[in-house]
Amino acid sequence: MTRVLVVDDDADFRSMLKSALELAGYRVDVARDGKAALLAQRASPADILVTDLFMPEKDGFEAIEAFREQFPATRIVAVSGGARLMKTDYLAAAGMVGADAALQKPFEMEKLLELLETLAPAT
């Protein structure tokens, strides 16, 4: 069963994603920021990281870089709503630091499930 680590500082968003992904058949762990995500990954490695970009402590960009260095086999999906408000395309920047895919918040759950299906390791 594919393991997914959801990282977001919004507790409601984390909870909603965890429930939806578990219903879709994934094993899901959650973390509130990049620092907690790295600790969670060391304790119980996930196949796919789904991370917000803007968080306190260690943001998504730092988390993506750390995962690429320490856990290169982990696939990464960056998600963010902040790019709508600014001229910089932060989701494209996430790809430059190592994200495999990106989704603009809000997104349809089907879009995320399609991405996870393509990124999940073959069983």
Side-chain angles (χ1 to χ4, degrees), residues 78-93:
V79 297
S80 180
R84 289 176 304 175
L85 307 174
M86 302 169 200
K87 294 185 191 253
T88 304
D89 188 346
Y90 291 103
L91 292 171

Side-chain angles (χ1 to χ4, degrees), residues 42-61:
R42 287 183 192 110
S44 182
D47 301 300
I48 303 172
L49 171 71
V50 177
T51 184
D52 188 23
L53 294 178
F54 299 102
M55 301 174 289
E57 202 59 45
K58 184 182 278 288
D59 70 26
F61 294 104

Side-chain angles (χ1 to χ4, degrees), residues 18 34 40 59 65 87 95 98 107-108 119:
K18 179 176 172 53
D59 70 26
E65 289 175 332
K87 294 185 191 253
F107 53 81
E108 294 179 19
L119 296 174

Side-chain angles (χ1 to χ4, degrees), residues 66-101:
F67 268 73
R68 276 291 155 254
E69 183 179 303
Q70 298 174 37
F71 309 102
T74 303
R75 307 305 299 269
I76 301 172
V77 178
V79 297
S80 180
R84 289 176 304 175
L85 307 174
M86 302 169 200
K87 294 185 191 253
T88 304
D89 188 346
Y90 291 103
L91 292 171
M96 287 188 261
V97 296
D100 296 295

